[in-house]
Amino acid sequence: MARSAIVVGSGAGGSAAAWALAKAGWDVLILEKGRHLLPGLGTPSGPRTLFGNDEVKAGRYFENQDIVLEPRTSRTQDEAKNGTAYSFIGDVNTLPTVVGGGTIHWDAKTPRFWKQDFTMLSDHGPVSDANVADWPLTYRDLAPFYDEVEELLGVQGDIHKMPKTTLQQAPRKKQFPMPPNPPMYGGSLIAEGAKQLGYHAYPFPMAVNSRAYAGRPRCNSCGFCSGYGCPIQARGGAAVSFLHDALLAGARLEPRAFVYKVRTNAKGTRVTGVSYLDDNGGKHHASADVVILALSAIETARLLLMSRTSKFPNGLANRSDMVGRNLMFHFFTAALAVFVGEVHAWRGPSTTFTIDDFVGPEKNAVIKAAGLPYVKGGICEVGASTLLLEEAQSYAAIPNTWGLPHKELMRVSPARSHFAALNMVGEDLPQVNNRVDLDPSTKDVYGFPVPRITYSSHNHELVASAFYGPKLAAICAAAPGAIAGTFLPLFLLNKVGGSVATFSQTRHIFGTARMGHDPKTSVADAWGRAHDLDNLYLADGSVFPTSGGFNPSLTIMALSLRMARRLAGKH
Amino acid sequence: MEIARRTFLKSAGALGLLALIPQRALSAVFASAPAPGHAGRFLNAHELDTLRAVCGRFIPGPPEDPDPGAAEAMVPEAIDMLLGAFTFDPPLIHAGGPYSNRPPPNGHDSFADFVPLDRHAELGWRIRIEGTKGIKAREFAGPVVGLQQIYRSGIAHLDARAAPAKFVDLPAPLQDVILADLTDSDVQTFVGAALANTFEAMYGPPEYGGNKGLAGWKYTNWPGDVQPAGYTNDQVSKPDPGGTRLSVASAKAIEKFLPALGGRAAPRDAWWLGRASIVRS
């Protein structure tokens, strides 16, 4: 008889696992709490798209988690110490709540993690007040799955233009499936500025079609990319690259299915299935041989905490007390080049260049004086600007910027037409006190406690941002035609926003159920299997012991595929 | 497991239906928009006239500015349609896709095929527009003041500030003084919502009722929705001829806008009005 799996969450990790298991003949049920917006997905005619070049719809919770229905709360570590229940409620790094998950509107950037990311603790030692750990696997373990996922998604790039260090740290056997998109003009100017200063910008690997691929057309650079569902499906992702074929192979998908409990046997040694609410609030139980959680790091931790039993009073699979802890968000350090002429940095797939020179680790006297053994940054998004409605909203953040000044700003259009940004996505160190727990008083539309996020930046992130920021600004200033280069460090964003919800909106979320060899200090093993329960698997960013300086989705999918292949092999 | 399959088919089927308002009917709705002095979908005649004055201050048109402003672009009427969204079926919340095929008559405008809300999405939008109104099923996360109430009390408050005159009868500079009063949190709650909605209606696709004659896209030199054509390689990789020039002095002046990239925090007591930052990942 076929083995069966329930996959909770249809995003990057869940879809990759569902696809591999369905292809291996498993009976797979995918439960997705979000809405289904891809009619035709999983049918021979293929998915249609309801997305368009529409900024209004994107801002109206079409695919995004509606914060009115499912708010989150947050507070800083200091506020937690003072007994503040929460200081913010609303959008705390929510991801699309929709079939296909975050990859429905991801920027589709697919850098690989580096070899060094897997051994930071062994190589560089501990960092005070942080919980840095080695991964229980290596780059070599993951490499074949990186190759396979890149083929399935359809990733563009150029191995011949990649820096030597990058290829040493993330070796590749062969050229990318597709060549790069046409380079964006503003990004090219910043890339030239980087070259002047001895840095190296190169085509950003991304799951965007530069030619027809897998039955989907080439990208035509419409500019509605990161944060927008693709109107022509030129972008690979969980839904079009995995879920569609999983459904064709017999997997079943239930949208608007909110899983509120993972069920176990009486002894608490195995999971037996899940309980969920359907579209109309009806309760259901589903059973399977294996349960795979891929809700994304915040929601996976929340579900484990909500699934507590007498055997697991602190939350399912949580004998280590690490469920919900070590929550990591990447941090942005935003730099900006201001050009005399128009650089239309809003055309194209958000950004076509990246820079790896600031990945780190960096060690010097200043960093040592700050009490840190090293700092790490991460990849750079080179040369993006804003669309029209975003532009109008950005000026309005300055009080009373309406009337004739507003019209004049929109005409001259500095933020849209004359800016090109250089955003570094920086590595965030794990801390046990950065965590997800269940909000004691706030409930969501389903009647369950919302996730409460307690988060404060480690000194590492503040120092790293202040260290790399001026270098980013210098690159911007060196871009041909630029008249100004400036940057905004993390600590300032901190003050501007006054809330974790503002500065940490990278939508890169990790670490709430870390993997490791030791069941006392980690939640899952090297395959994503919970230490405490034989047949419970985790397949999202929750298992990352550290966050690297790289966009996470490719690594999430590679880990998930590796896990699923092992499960299928046991069959 | 049979339940799972049925549910899937049902939700996929719902999306397969064309929306109930065909393109022609949507045009007719816009064409019959209320004239000054007449009630709208939600706002009464006086409230809608006041909103016209407010939107005209936010994005002025002739004679102050040569290009059409929010009032000329039918922005106030579009906001009234949002406040009365549930008088349409489907509600005019999420336009369809993928292409508008603008300008007509280039083909079918799928933006005009508004996507029906499902049960959850409708609940979210009813709470956002109508508020929780003491209804238990809406108050799971506490009471929420809906947009309808924010507009209704906000406009009443503008009149209170203008007393004994009405806000709409004040000269424009005095209207500006009231709208710009950062010490009056009632004004600012209203301004926050109304300005955000004004931008949506001015700079979003015209299917939402505003941006009449593409006024918001023309004066900003914005191409709007460009699919399925997109851009050529040269348009992506090379500079366009012409375009605006920025002086060094103005470049320095606009550096102050950089913190704006961090977004705007919502007031703690009206968290549902929060807007995501525009730093994109």
Side-chain angles (χ1 to χ4, degrees):
Chain A
M1 209 176 87
R3 300 190 70 202
S4 59
I6 292 168
V7 178
V8 186
S10 67
S15 290
W19 173 80
L21 292 175
K23 284 285 194 183
W26 282 46
D27 177 15
V28 178
L29 172 65
I30 304 148
L31 299 173
E32 165 59 55
K33 80 170 167 171
R35 198 177 173 191
H36 194 334
L37 295 173
L38 296 168
L41 187 80
T43 68
S45 60
R48 289 191 295 116
T49 169
L50 295 165
F51 294 98
N53 290 166
D54 181 352
E55 287 189 88
V56 173
K57 184 162 62 174
R60 286 190 180 175
Y61 308 96
F62 185 55
E63 77 275 21
N64 283 309
Q65 176 162 325
D66 188 335
I67 57 165
V68 161
L69 297 174
E70 298 181 84
R72 288 172 174 174
T73 58
S74 69
R75 57 182 182 170
T76 64
Q77 289 185 16
D78 281 344
E79 287 167 341
K81 270 184 217 144
N82 296 337
T84 304
Y86 64 83
S87 58
F88 176 87
I89 175 168
D91 177 7
V92 186
N93 251 329
T94 57
L95 289 169
T97 298
V98 67
V99 169
T103 64
I104 283 292
H105 76 197
W106 67 327
D107 195 20
K109 299 304 190 277
T110 54
R112 296 180 175 193
F113 272 46
W114 284 9
K115 283 179 180 173
Q116 66 179 23
D117 291 312
F118 299 84
T119 54
M120 283 307 294
L121 182 63
S122 301
D123 294 347
H124 301 283
V127 179
S128 168
D129 296 325
N131 194 17
V132 177
D134 289 348
W135 289 48
L137 70 164
T138 65
Y139 180 87
R140 187 194 291 249
D141 295 323
L142 217 45
F145 300 97
Y146 275 145
D147 290 340
E148 188 175 355
V149 172
E150 286 174 0
E151 286 288 333
L152 290 160
L153 286 173
V155 169
Q156 60 165 271
D158 189 349
I159 193 171
H160 302 301
K161 291 187 174 162
M162 295 177 90
K164 210 166 56 183
T165 311
T166 304
L167 287 172
Q168 280 166 355
Q169 283 283 349
R172 322 177 51 88
K173 285 211 183 85
K174 52 180 183 182
Q175 182 56 287
F176 287 84
M178 280 178 275
N181 252 50
M184 289 159 64
Y185 175 56
S188 303
L189 297 173
I190 296 180
E192 181 58 31
K195 192 176 167 190
Q196 297 293 327
L197 299 180
Y199 303 116
H200 185 93
Y202 69 95
F204 210 147
M206 56 178 146
V208 170
N209 287 357
S210 60
R211 59 173 170 81
Y213 189 92
R216 295 178 288 105
R218 76 179 273 266
C219 166
N220 59 29
S221 297
C222 77
F224 287 69
C225 205
S226 179
Y228 298 87
C230 185
I232 61 169
Q233 315 212 71
R235 182 171 55 197
V240 294
S241 306
F242 291 97
L243 199 51
H244 177 64
D245 287 328
L247 297 175
L248 285 175
R252 286 160 299 123
L253 167 68
E254 189 166 348
R256 288 296 196 202
F258 176 79
V259 175
Y260 60 90
K261 191 175 185 64
V262 179
R263 301 162 70 86
T264 67
N265 62 6
K267 282 192 288 186
T269 54
R270 294 179 63 79
V271 294
T272 56
V274 301
S275 300
Y276 65 97
L277 302 176
D278 68 21
D279 202 12
N280 289 306
K283 284 188 178 178
H284 301 270
H285 305 302
S287 311
D289 299 324
V290 167
V291 173
I292 298 169
L293 302 185
L295 298 80
S296 89
I298 289 174
E299 297 292 330
T300 287
R302 175 197 185 203
L303 178 56
L304 290 172
L305 295 172
M306 290 200 315
S307 300
R308 61 174 177 257
T309 67
S310 56
K311 303 283 182 201
F312 291 99
N314 296 322
L316 196 63
N318 194 23
R319 297 211 170 106
S320 64
D321 190 33
M322 285 296 124
V323 169
R325 296 190 183 274
N326 307 303
L327 172 68
M328 295 170 280
F329 301 141
H330 277 152
F331 67 91
F332 269 129
T333 300
L336 203 60
V338 184
F339 295 91
V340 175
E342 294 194 1
V343 293
H344 55 73
W346 41 267
R347 279 179 206 159
S350 302
T351 158
T352 51
F353 293 95
T354 186
I355 296 172
D356 285 352
D357 293 289
F358 309 127
V359 170
E362 189 78 33
K363 302 179 179 191
N364 64 35
V366 175
I367 291 163
K368 202 174 167 190
L372 295 163
Y374 58 83
V375 296
K376 292 183 82 185
I379 56 101
C380 295
E381 302 170 347
V382 181
S385 73
T386 70
L387 304 177
L388 186 73
L389 177 54
E390 290 176 321
E391 179 186 31
Q393 289 162 345
S394 75
Y395 302 143
I398 309 295
N400 290 336
T401 309
W402 41 260
L404 290 175
H406 166 79
K407 266 194 128 170
E408 203 46 37
L409 277 166
M410 294 299 285
R411 246 185 224 114
V412 176
S413 184
R416 172 170 44 104
S417 303
H418 296 273
F419 286 0
L422 176 56
N423 290 332
M424 187 182 77
V425 174
E427 177 162 348
D428 184 16
L429 296 188
Q431 303 173 58
V432 287
N433 290 326
N434 279 351
R435 65 183 300 196
V436 176
D437 67 359
L438 302 178
D439 190 278
S441 61
T442 313
K443 301 263 197 301
D444 70 5
V445 66
Y446 305 103
F448 291 92
V450 306
R452 174 174 64 178
I453 283 81
T454 303
Y455 183 94
S456 289
S457 294
H458 189 279
N459 196 35
H460 165 269
E461 285 87 68
L462 303 181
V463 172
S465 187
F467 175 76
Y468 290 114
K471 300 177 194 300
L472 304 176
I475 290 174
C476 290
I483 44 176
T486 183
F487 83 106
L488 191 63
L490 180 62
F491 69 85
L492 201 59
L493 272 175
N494 235 326
K495 281 189 184 138
V496 171
S499 158
V500 296
T502 302
F503 68 74
S504 58
Q505 296 287 37
T506 55
R507 315 288 173 183
H508 298 175
I509 314 161
F510 323 77
T512 56
R514 55 166 43 182
M515 48 167 56
H517 293 302
D518 185 353
K520 288 197 191 68
T521 57
S522 60
V523 178
D525 69 12
W527 302 95
R529 189 180 68 157
H531 289 302
D532 297 344
L533 291 138
D534 289 345
N535 56 343
L536 176 65
Y537 287 79
L538 310 178
D540 57 26
S542 66
V543 298
F544 286 37
T546 52
S547 66
F550 306 98
N551 312 58
S553 294
L554 179 78
T555 301
I556 290 172
M557 287 185 258
L559 283 168
S560 179
L561 187 55
R562 178 173 177 268
M563 175 205 80
R565 283 280 153 68
R566 177 166 164 104
L567 269 172
K570 273 184 175 174
H571 168 55
Chain B
M1 290 310 180
E2 192 44 41
I3 290 163
R5 188 177 303 274
R6 243 186 0 254
T7 308
F8 169 60
L9 289 175
K10 193 180 63 191
S11 45
L15 283 173
L17 293 174
L18 278 181
L20 301 177
I21 301 187
Q23 191 177 340
R24 272 194 314 277
L26 193 60
S27 310
V29 167
F30 296 166
S32 65
H38 290 80
R41 287 266 168 176
F42 171 76
L43 298 174
N44 65 35
H46 171 70
E47 290 167 335
L48 187 51
D49 285 342
T50 307
L51 185 60
R52 286 191 178 97
V54 169
C55 292
R57 299 321 303 148
F58 287 163
I59 309 181
E64 261 180 280
D65 186 274
D67 294 309
E72 292 76 23
M74 305 288 278
V75 166
E77 291 78 7
I79 292 174
D80 173 63
M81 279 168 48
L82 174 67
L83 298 174
F86 287 100
T87 63
F88 298 91
D89 187 11
L92 304 184
I93 304 286
H94 298 138
Y99 315 133
S100 74
N101 286 306
R102 233 179 295 283
N106 271 349
H108 179 69
D109 176 6
S110 60
F111 282 26
D113 302 328
F114 275 76
V115 182
L117 301 176
D118 71 359
R119 198 178 70 93
H120 273 280
E122 175 171 341
L123 179 59
W125 278 95
R126 286 213 181 256
I127 294 172
R128 185 169 279 111
I129 290 174
E130 299 170 355
T132 43
K133 287 179 157 176
I135 300 167
K136 197 157 172 278
R138 296 186 183 181
E139 288 202 324
F140 48 86
V144 167
V145 182
L147 282 174
Q148 291 180 342
Q149 187 59 42
I150 287 171
Y151 276 82
R152 186 142 280 163
S153 348
I155 289 169
H157 183 70
L158 294 183
D159 280 338
R161 287 289 307 266
K166 294 289 184 190
F167 179 87
V168 71
D169 297 325
L170 293 180
L174 288 183
Q175 291 176 339
D176 285 353
V177 166
I178 293 174
L179 293 172
D181 185 354
L182 299 176
T183 66
D184 187 331
S185 64
D186 291 337
V187 167
Q188 291 312 314
T189 297
F190 170 73
V191 165
L195 190 57
N197 292 143
T198 296
F199 290 157
E200 279 184 350
M202 184 75 182
Y203 301 119
E207 283 77 3
Y208 292 99
N211 196 5
K212 189 187 179 188
L214 306 183
W217 292 351
K218 281 180 181 160
Y219 95 92
T220 53
N221 195 28
W222 178 247
D225 53 304
V226 295
Q227 289 288 5
Y231 295 104
T232 65
N233 290 3
D234 277 357
Q235 285 175 315
V236 174
S237 302
K238 293 180 179 170
D240 292 336
T244 58
R245 308 279 296 173
L246 212 55
S247 70
V248 173
S250 61
K252 289 292 172 196
I254 57 180
E255 277 187 19
K256 73 173 181 181
F257 282 107
L258 189 54
L261 291 173
R264 184 179 199 176
R268 174 72 173 76
D269 57 355
W271 54 270
W272 51 90
L273 297 176
R275 271 155 214 287
S277 74
I278 60 151
V279 175
R280 293 192 285 165
S281 56

